[in-house]
Structures are given as structure tokens and as C-alpha cells.
Amino acid sequence: MTHTHIRADVPETRPVALHAADKRAPGRRGAGRRVLASLQRARKALLIHIGLRAVGLAVMAVWARREGVGPLEVLGGRWDSDFYLHMAEHGLTTEMPASCGPVGPGCQMAFFPVYPLLVRWTVNLTHLPVNWAAIGVALLASVIAAWGIFAVTDKIYGRRVALFTCALFAIVPAALVQSMAYTEPVFIALSAWAMYAVLTKSWLTAGVLAFLAGATRPSGSAIVAAVVLAGVWEIVQWRRRRRVQRPPVGRILAASLIAPLGWFGYVGYVGLHFGRWDGYFELQDRWGSKYDGGIDTLRSLKKTFTDTHLTLNHVVVTLTVVAAVVLFVMITRKRRPPVVVWIFTAMIMLVALGGAGFYYSKMRFVMPAFPLLFPFALALARARRTTVLWVVGAATAVSALFGGNLNFVWWANP
């Protein structure tokens, strides 16, 4: 078997077919044609991603049958899914006392509204049961997210590295969440395409997508900060004469104003509902979630080495946290990605690891930081085919089995 050599740091030349299309249609190609070309370029990566996710879902379905549980209940009827389905059916402010427990009235307002609204609109359009609609939205969003991850990585490193990043994202430890009625698939899809919009200088599109992502989950502040600071950086670089062409300052400023409105708008709405400016943060505190700069995370890491009664989940979370930190240092020091991608990754790390409480969910909180997979993808892009098959095959099996463990052995929210 021969060794495959590539230049992973140089994006590949676009296919000849695309150049021919450019000649046939002088000037800017239509939006529809660009979308189809992008989808065609990502097709192989998306098929691999879907295939790897199908393995995880198949293992979950077999495990569910042995436990006497329906797969739909696992994907769309547990933990946070209850709150999203309630919000989709009854609105943002309708109480759900049976599930709120000690958190108190209005507990569901700790969850951001974009995903429940998408589920409600899907129900109104298709007349599907709400849990089917919730799972359908999540599955579609997960494919769009994988497509966005491919597009961003392709723009930075080229097609081959993008393919491996897309494949690896399908088998991260908490990958099953990508197929559940959770906000992560929608959030990652919006964030990835917002970053791609910045990379392609489509500032208004980036601002709108960041606006929506900011209203999707609390960590939406990461993509908001990434888009705004990337715009500021673009202007600063031009003022320092490090950019030959003047950036579109007006569009950058407009994007910077639009992007924060989703996150701040919902936090402000919750504050108005509770009659206090910090109502959202007080609600999060009642949930046992607050920001302490990582002190609680460090305590939980310490337990890995001092507690004699550890669960598999705790060990895997600790390994994920440590690996995330190491990988972030690697992409920062060796081959830092474009500023919007780096800031997004840094912010996800700050939010996920700096928050107190829910240590067992850190894998899911870190998952949107897909650029952390770049070092692995670059290594696989240079590896022999047999090495790739063994590594990806083993990782797929472990991910699928761990996903089953999270839902049928582990006792809490994944």
C-alpha cells in the first residue's frame, strides 16, 4: 500500500466542471447554482457522515428494543426534549409544573426559542406529531450542520481534510445528540454557515445567521462574538494597511448590530417576564448553572483521580475536556485557523468549561467546537487507507456503544 501525500494546508483547485460553469455564466452565478455546486462538492463527505451516524442510530435502536423502549422515545422524549416539545406545543411562557420541580415556575424559559419555534412551524406545515417533527428538524439540521462544517473546513484546508472533519464529527463521544430533539444540530448548522459567510465576506448573511444562532441556545454568544470580532479585525487590519482592498465597512457594521440581537433579545425578554433585568441569569442559577470561570470543572476533573466510585461517563467527560484543551492549544500554536473560526472555538471552550454544574454534559457543550477536530483530520488526510479504515472503524464502534450507554445505562442528561 502506498502512502498518500497531500498538501492539506492548500485548498484544492475547484473542479473543471465549476470553471466551465463560470465560463457559461459570466459574472456571478445564481445563488441556486452556487448552492448546488457546494452540495455536489460535499456529497461524498455528507454520505459518509450520514452512514457513520446511521451506525450509531442502529446500535441505539437495537439496544432500545432489548430494553423495551421505542427509539422515538429515546430520540425525542427524554430530558431536555420534554422542555422543547412543551414550548413547541404551548408557547414560551406556559407553565409546566410537572417537570419544573424545585426550579420553580417558568423553568422552561431557560431554554432558547428558535428550535421549539421551528418544531411548531413544522407541525403546522406537516401535521406530524410534535415528537416526530422535533426529531425531523434535528435530523435535517444535523445534515445541514455537517455540510456547513465541510464548507468551512474546505475553505481553510481543502476537500480531503474537510471530508475527514465531517466524518469525525459524526463519531465524537456525544454524537448521538446530533440525532436527538436537542438544540445542538440547529445551533451548529447556523454557526457553521455563519462562519462560512464571514470567510466568503457575506457579512449581512453572517449577521442574520448569528442572530438566529444566538437565539438558539445560551452558547450562541460564541458565534455572536466571533462574527462581531471578525468584522472588527477586518477593519483594523485594513486601517493598519495590512489589507489592500477596503472592506465593506457599512455591511460589517450592520452585521455587528444584527448579530447580538437574538441572544440579548431573548435574555431581555426573560428579564421582562420575571420583572428583573437579571431574570434569565437568576433562572439559570435556580437550575444550578452559573459561570465560575472553570473552578467547578477543575474540581470535577480532580475527582477523576481521587474518587474511588467513578462512572464511565465521568471518565469519558474528563478525557474529552482534557483532549479539548490540548487540541485547542494545538490549533492555536501550530496552525491557527481564520479569526472567526478561532474565536468561535475559544468562546465555546470558555462557555462550556467555564460554566459550573452539569459536568456530565460537558461533552455535549464542547461538541459545537468542531475546529478542534482539525489536527485529527489533517493526520488522517495524510495516513494510509488501511490506517484510516482501522481508526475510523474503531472510533465508530466505540462512539455507537457509548451513545447506547448514555441513554440506557447513564442516569442523567447526556
Side-chain angles (χ1 to χ4, degrees):
M1 184 71 68
T2 58
H3 195 282
T4 302
H5 296 280
I6 67 163
R7 290 190 63 191
D9 56 329
V10 180
E12 298 175 1
T13 304
R14 292 189 301 165
V16 175
L18 294 189
H19 289 295
D22 287 339
K23 292 178 181 178
R24 288 195 301 269
R28 286 183 103 184
R29 290 179 294 153
R33 186 176 295 179
R34 291 198 301 273
V35 170
L36 288 176
S38 173
L39 186 57
Q40 177 68 21
R41 186 168 175 81
R43 182 181 60 177
K44 183 178 179 180
L46 293 181
L47 289 174
I48 292 173
H49 176 90
I50 292 169
L52 294 175
R53 287 297 322 119
V55 173
L57 288 173
V59 170
M60 181 277 297
V62 172
W63 203 321
R65 185 173 182 179
R66 291 175 62 89
E67 296 289 333
V69 180
L72 286 178
E73 179 187 338
V74 176
L75 297 179
R78 291 183 171 185
W79 308 114
D80 290 358
S81 299
D82 289 339
F83 298 96
Y84 297 126
L85 297 185
H86 173 87
M87 294 168 74
E89 287 187 288
H90 306 290
L92 302 179
T93 59
T94 303
E95 304 294 345
M96 47 183 304
S99 300
C100 281
V103 178
C107 70
Q108 77 283 354
M109 296 187 74
F111 300 88
F112 277 51
V114 164
Y115 175 60
L117 287 175
L118 288 174
V119 174
R120 170 180 279 192
W121 294 339
T122 303
V123 170
N124 292 339
L125 183 65
T126 64
H127 304 291
L128 287 170
V130 67
N131 60 332
W132 283 62
I135 296 168
V137 169
L139 290 174
L140 177 60
S142 70
V143 176
I144 297 172
W147 183 11
I149 289 169
F150 176 91
V152 170
T153 313
D154 186 21
K155 191 75 176 172
I156 302 170
Y157 296 116
R159 190 177 195 172
R160 185 170 172 83
V161 178
L163 183 148
F164 283 112
T165 304
C166 204
L168 290 171
F169 187 72
I171 52 176
V172 293
L176 187 62
V177 176
Q178 297 172 28
S179 306
M180 295 175 67
Y182 271 56
T183 58
E184 274 76 11
V186 173
F187 172 65
I188 297 168
L190 292 168
S191 297
W193 284 107
M195 283 185 275
Y196 181 77
V198 171
L199 293 176
T200 55
K201 312 302 180 186
S202 302
W203 289 101
L204 292 179
T205 301
V208 171
L209 291 173
F211 162 81
L212 293 172
T216 302
R217 57 180 291 105
S219 54
S221 56
I223 189 61
V224 171
V227 169
V228 172
L229 293 178
V232 171
W233 179 251
E234 192 76 12
I235 295 172
V236 168
Q237 290 293 89
W238 173 69
R239 293 295 297 268
R240 290 180 176 178
R241 302 184 185 280
R242 294 178 182 175
R243 295 282 191 274
V244 176
Q245 187 175 1
R246 183 180 185 275
V249 176
R251 279 179 284 170
I252 291 175
L253 291 177
S256 299
L257 292 174
I258 293 169
L261 295 180
W263 194 90
F264 283 102
Y266 185 68
V267 169
Y269 173 78
V270 175
L272 286 174
H273 178 80
F274 285 106
R276 48 185 296 178
W277 72 270
D278 62 343
Y280 178 80
F281 303 102
E282 192 273 336
L283 177 59
Q284 285 283 5
D285 190 51
R286 281 194 269 145
W287 270 102
S289 179
K290 58 184 178 181
Y291 195 84
D292 68 353
I295 295 173
D296 184 69
T297 299
L298 289 174
R299 289 199 192 104
S300 298
L301 281 169
K302 181 182 177 182
K303 288 182 182 178
T304 309
F305 304 97
T306 59
D307 197 330
T308 57
H309 302 287
L310 289 176
T311 64
L312 175 63
N313 181 274
H314 189 102
V315 173
V316 175
V317 170
T318 296
L319 290 173
T320 302
V321 167
V322 173
V325 173
V326 172
L327 290 168
F328 181 73
V329 172
M330 288 177 65
I331 68 171
T332 298
R333 296 189 62 182
K334 291 188 176 182
R335 192 175 297 192
R336 183 179 297 182
V339 64
V340 65
V341 178
W342 185 84
I343 292 174
F344 174 75
T345 308
M347 287 294 297
I348 289 291
M349 295 282 287
L350 284 173
V351 172
L353 304 186
F358 299 98
Y359 181 73
Y360 44 80
S361 295
K362 297 293 184 185
M363 291 179 298
R364 174 164 60 89
F365 297 161
V366 170
M367 186 171 63
F370 67 86
L372 296 176
L373 298 172
F374 289 166
F376 290 126
L378 286 161
L380 287 174
R382 294 187 173 94
R384 298 174 184 270
R385 181 176 297 180
T386 50
T387 302
V388 170
L389 291 175
W390 275 107
V391 170
V392 174
T396 301
V398 171
S399 174
L401 291 171
F402 185 67
N405 179 277
L406 278 180
N407 275 280
F408 302 108
V409 178
W410 178 242
W411 57 271
N413 194 358

